[in-house]
Amino acid sequence: MCGILAVLGCSDDSQAKRVRVLELSRRQFFILFFFFYFPPLILTLKHRGPDWSGLYQHGDFYLAHQRLAIIDPASGDQPLFNEDKRIVVTVNGEIYNHEQLRKSLPNHKFRTGSDCDVIAHLYEEHGENFVDMLDGMFSFVLLDTRDNSFIVARDAIGITSLYIGWGLDGSVWISSELKGLHDDCEHFEVFPPGHLYSSKNGGLRRWYNPPWFSEAIPSTPYEPLVLRRAFENAVIKRLMTDVPFGVLLSGGLDSSLVAAITARYLAGTKAAKQWGAQLHSFCVGLEGSPDLKAAKEVSDYLGTVHHEFHFTVQDGIDAIEDVIHHIETYDVTTIRASTPMFLMSRKIKSLGVKMVISGEGSDEIFGGYLYFHKAPNKEEFHRETCRKIKALHQYDCLRANKATSAWGVEARVPFLDKEFINVAMSIDPESKMIKPGEGRIEKWILRRAFDDEEHPYLPKHILYRQKEQFSDGVGYSWIDGLKAHAELHVTDKMMLNAEHIFPHNTPTTKEAYYYRTIFERSFPQNSASLTVPGGASVACSTAKAIEWDASWSKNLDPSGRAAVGVHNSAYEDLLPPVANGNLAPTMIDDVPRMVGIPAKELTIQS
């Protein structure tokens, strides 16, 4: 993932400002961009794009870019232009159908081999109505210097992060992260997924309008091979890369299918010719965790070069402040899951890998979270999946994007492919309903689609492994240790005053209070706290789904183990009785401090 920052229509276009911007953009850490009359930004976007920095100025418009080079590393530096350089664009993302789009523009000359080079030319040809032609993940700012108009757009689901802010001088600010805005904008907010901002029209409009968005109940019969082919195509198109890559492998269904398809189709790709046909896989967990065991088994079955990273509870706790700084949230489940992913991404980057393929999005599309067992009917099941997909940019997409970008690694998510979502969300939700009495566990239609007796993708017991949320699968003592740590640092008296200190999204647990105080230190503005979602949740449900089971309102924890009566290791079977729903502080002493085991050395074939 790259990092973009645009300041559009600010009140100062002096050379001194440009010099200052260039000077600060070249620093290695702490500061990305700020203008000489603003207070220093002590935070950075540099981590998102360590390969190159670019800055374009046209009058009082500034487009800046921090590049992570994945496609055409030699010549694809940004900002990018059309032929006469009157249309300028800065982009974060990947356009998987860029070769087909180039062929549709025979009268245009492209300056680079970058996949993002098509955007300026598509605008030149089609005006603002080209965004739906893009197949990929992206956030971009495009400036048309012919009339000083500009557009901003974000991909359909919000895989790439993007924020918009407004300055007192009338300027509009766009940034990949809050860090580019929070000190200099009077107000800022999340730029909504699937939307376009046009300066000509003066506001936002939704460009992504799929049939499922209305939450109408679909009726297409389930066809296993149609679903299988759609997902295989989604994975294959994401093998487009000019740099070393691998797959994140937890050993659960979703990441295992991504790995299996990648391993099956890698040999015939350009990536295999450049870097070798043997796939590299990566997993993280506490010693003895469910994910480590399952991932090793899948790796052995697929023949990947497997890299297993261990962390301790204390390692994770020590990283929490950095995680919140980079992920830019105080949401409990996001922080729990982001921390091991953040630690793993650092290890991955140290091995020379710049891109990974991951399994986010499947649980939202297929109702894979364990609370879906309690869906009362297919209509409620389907509406909940729609709500979950629409909120992904605030949760799993945010985590996958920022936890990897923190170390200059790009994460690609084939389950969130537009075409695949259209196929999966058009299926009659009756087929997705969980019916244990009929042998249909969560995500049964996805499992069945890849249950091939003749040419198996995965071992049966992996294909039908129960859902583990990432924050659980890395080791159950991880969440327990976080709760115990928070218990040591947040007093009962502090909790009594929580609603006065944090009137918006008031933390209701000591763990949530602990994260919120860290977040507020980095992002004290009210606008920042408003970018984070809130509301009750059990096992990652929306607030609406809590109505499915009256007992859930008494056990509001986002862990999958809160799905009492469903999860094989539910809280009622694991935890000792404790007062006020909090773990006793001494429990932290019972968490083992494991010693990490070095992963295999990564060898990239040429």
Side-chain angles (χ1 to χ4, degrees):
M1 289 294 170
C2 304
I4 63 174
L5 177 70
V7 184
L8 306 160
C10 62
S11 59
D12 189 344
D13 62 355
S14 68
Q15 179 63 20
K17 178 188 291 187
R18 178 180 176 83
V19 171
R20 186 63 168 161
V21 170
L22 285 169
E23 174 192 346
L24 295 172
S25 71
R26 289 168 179 156
R27 292 186 180 180
Q28 289 300 306
F29 31 60
F30 293 126
I31 300 173
L32 172 60
F33 299 113
F34 65 86
F35 300 115
F36 69 97
Y37 59 86
F38 288 141
L41 294 177
I42 60 171
L43 304 173
T44 180
L45 299 181
K46 184 76 175 181
H47 52 274
R48 296 185 65 92
D51 297 332
W52 191 257
S53 300
L55 173 66
Y56 173 84
Q57 178 190 358
H58 175 74
D60 55 2
F61 294 87
Y62 292 80
L63 272 65
H65 188 263
Q66 295 290 332
R67 188 183 186 202
L68 178 66
I70 305 293
I71 303 296
D72 187 24
S75 67
D77 296 334
Q78 296 191 34
L80 298 164
F81 305 88
N82 69 332
E83 292 90 340
D84 61 11
K85 292 194 171 185
R86 292 193 293 176
I87 298 170
V88 193
V89 63
T90 180
V91 192
N92 168 33
E94 303 292 343
I95 310 302
Y96 302 121
N97 64 336
H98 73 103
E99 292 184 353
Q100 298 96 301
L101 291 172
R102 285 171 185 261
K103 293 175 183 176
S104 73
L105 299 165
N107 298 322
H108 291 255
K109 294 182 179 179
F110 297 91
R111 296 175 177 273
T112 78
S114 169
D115 54 296
C116 296
D117 207 355
V118 298
I119 292 176
H121 300 276
L122 287 170
Y123 171 81
E124 192 174 22
E125 195 74 22
H126 302 283
E128 295 182 356
N129 298 317
F130 72 90
V131 181
D132 198 31
M133 300 170 66
L134 301 175
D135 182 6
M137 54 178 182
F138 54 83
S139 299
F140 68 80
V141 180
L142 182 149
L143 174 65
D144 188 339
T145 65
R146 295 172 297 187
D147 59 4
N148 285 346
S149 64
F150 61 87
I151 62 172
V152 185
R154 188 179 183 189
D155 65 67
I157 306 299
I159 302 167
T160 60
S161 58
L162 195 66
Y163 299 86
I164 183 170
W166 294 268
L168 286 174
D169 60 355
S171 57
V172 176
W173 292 57
I174 304 294
S175 177
S176 295
E177 297 187 0
L178 287 177
K179 301 172 189 65
L181 305 179
H182 76 111
D183 278 345
D184 305 297
C185 293
E186 186 67 14
H187 177 73
F188 50 88
E189 58 193 48
V190 174
F191 192 100
H195 278 70
L196 179 142
Y197 180 96
S198 169
S199 64
K200 291 179 180 178
N201 299 324
L204 288 159
R205 65 177 173 86
R206 185 154 56 89
W207 65 263
Y208 179 57
N209 296 285
W212 64 266
F213 212 86
S214 69
E215 301 184 11
I217 310 304
S219 59
T220 303
Y222 167 54
E223 295 286 349
L225 290 182
V226 172
L227 189 64
R228 181 197 294 185
R229 293 191 190 105
F231 189 58
E232 286 185 326
N233 290 337
V235 174
I236 290 167
K237 71 175 68 170
R238 282 160 179 78
L239 303 183
M240 175 188 82
T241 178
D242 292 330
V243 299
F245 82 103
V247 294
L248 303 186
L249 180 59
S250 70
L253 173 67
D254 307 329
S255 66
S256 297
L257 283 179
V258 169
I261 296 168
T262 303
R264 184 168 291 201
Y265 291 100
L266 178 60
T269 66
K270 177 184 174 183
K273 292 181 176 65
Q274 287 184 288
W275 310 107
Q278 191 169 21
L279 180 64
H280 291 262
S281 57
F282 308 94
C283 185
V284 66
L286 304 177
E287 182 119 359
S289 68
D291 281 1
L292 291 181
K293 179 181 177 182
K296 180 64 168 62
E297 188 172 1
V298 174
S299 170
D300 290 343
Y301 182 82
L302 298 177
T304 70
V305 180
H306 192 55
H307 308 270
E308 186 176 284
F309 305 125
H310 294 199
F311 76 104
T312 68
V313 171
Q314 191 61 51
D315 291 334
I317 289 171
D318 289 344
I320 287 293
E321 294 217 18
D322 285 341
V323 169
I324 292 173
H325 162 78
H326 281 286
I327 309 302
E328 302 179 324
T329 188
Y330 50 81
D331 175 69
V332 170
T333 187
T334 303
I335 293 168
R336 289 174 176 180
S338 294
T339 303
M341 195 171 194
F342 175 86
L343 296 171
M344 176 172 56
S345 296
R346 186 176 191 179
K347 291 281 192 178
I348 290 171
K349 186 58 182 285
S350 73
L351 296 174
V353 172
K354 295 171 72 173
M355 186 271 281
V356 293
I357 308 179
S358 191
E360 281 77 13
S362 173
D363 293 312
E364 287 74 14
I365 294 169
F366 295 105
Y369 293 107
L370 297 184
Y371 72 89
F372 275 93
H373 280 251
K374 299 294 184 75
N377 52 58
K378 73 175 187 178
E379 291 81 11
E380 278 299 303
F381 190 108
H382 180 72
R383 293 187 187 107
E384 177 71 359
T385 62
C386 294
R387 291 190 291 264
K388 290 292 292 180
I389 296 171
K390 291 175 185 178
L392 263 170
H393 68 286
Q394 298 176 300
Y395 297 101
D396 285 17
C397 287
L398 184 88
R399 166 180 55 80
N401 179 278
K402 293 183 179 179
T404 54
S405 293
W407 301 107
V409 177
E410 175 178 283
R412 297 181 180 178
V413 284
F415 279 109
L416 298 182
D417 179 83
K418 280 196 303 181
E419 294 178 20
F420 177 72
I421 292 176
N422 286 342
V423 170
M425 292 301 289
S426 69
I427 297 171
D428 186 335
E430 181 64 32
S431 300
K432 297 181 181 179
M433 289 285 286
I434 301 166
K435 298 181 179 181
E438 299 176 17
R440 285 167 47 176
I441 64 172
E442 65 275 357
K443 294 185 286 193
W444 176 82
I445 64 170
L446 181 63
R447 301 174 196 272
R448 178 68 185 87
F450 286 92
D451 193 349
D452 188 326
E453 296 286 351
E454 188 174 350
H455 302 289
Y457 287 78
L458 293 167
K460 286 273 191 181
H461 63 283
I462 294 292
L463 194 61
Y464 291 94
R465 181 190 178 199
Q466 186 181 61
K467 162 69 184 171
E468 287 280 12
Q469 290 169 209
F470 185 49
S471 53
D472 286 326
V474 297
Y476 296 145
S477 57
W478 166 232
I479 292 177
D480 300 340
L482 285 173
K483 290 181 176 182
H485 181 74
E487 177 74 20
L488 292 173
H489 289 82
V490 179
T491 66
D492 293 340
K493 184 177 180 180
M494 293 162 73
M495 291 300 297
L496 288 174
N497 295 322
E499 63 180 319
H500 304 293
I501 304 297
F502 306 116
H504 175 72
N505 284 345
T506 302
T508 58
T509 68
K510 292 186 176 183
E511 184 185 6
Y513 190 105
Y514 179 66
Y515 298 154
R516 186 65 175 272
T517 57
I518 296 172
F519 178 87
E520 296 282 339
R521 286 201 295 270
S522 290
F523 307 103
Q525 297 83 352
N526 186 55
S527 289
S529 67
L530 295 175
T531 66
V532 180
S537 176
V538 61
C540 284
S541 74
T542 66
K544 179 68 176 175
I546 293 174
E547 299 173 6
W548 294 353
D549 189 317
S551 68
W552 285 349
S553 62
K554 303 173 185 177
N555 186 29
L556 296 177
D557 190 288
S559 168
R561 289 180 292 157
V564 174
V566 177
H567 196 289
N568 292 336
S569 300
Y571 279 145
E572 63 179 357
D573 301 321
L574 287 177
L575 301 182
V578 292
N580 302 321
N582 287 305
L583 293 173
T586 54
M587 189 166 180
I588 191 70
D589 298 326
D590 295 329
V591 176
R593 303 290 192 261
M594 283 72 72
V595 178
I597 299 175
K600 296 178 183 177
E601 182 179 354
L602 175 59
T603 303
I604 301 296
Q605 302 175 10
S606 58

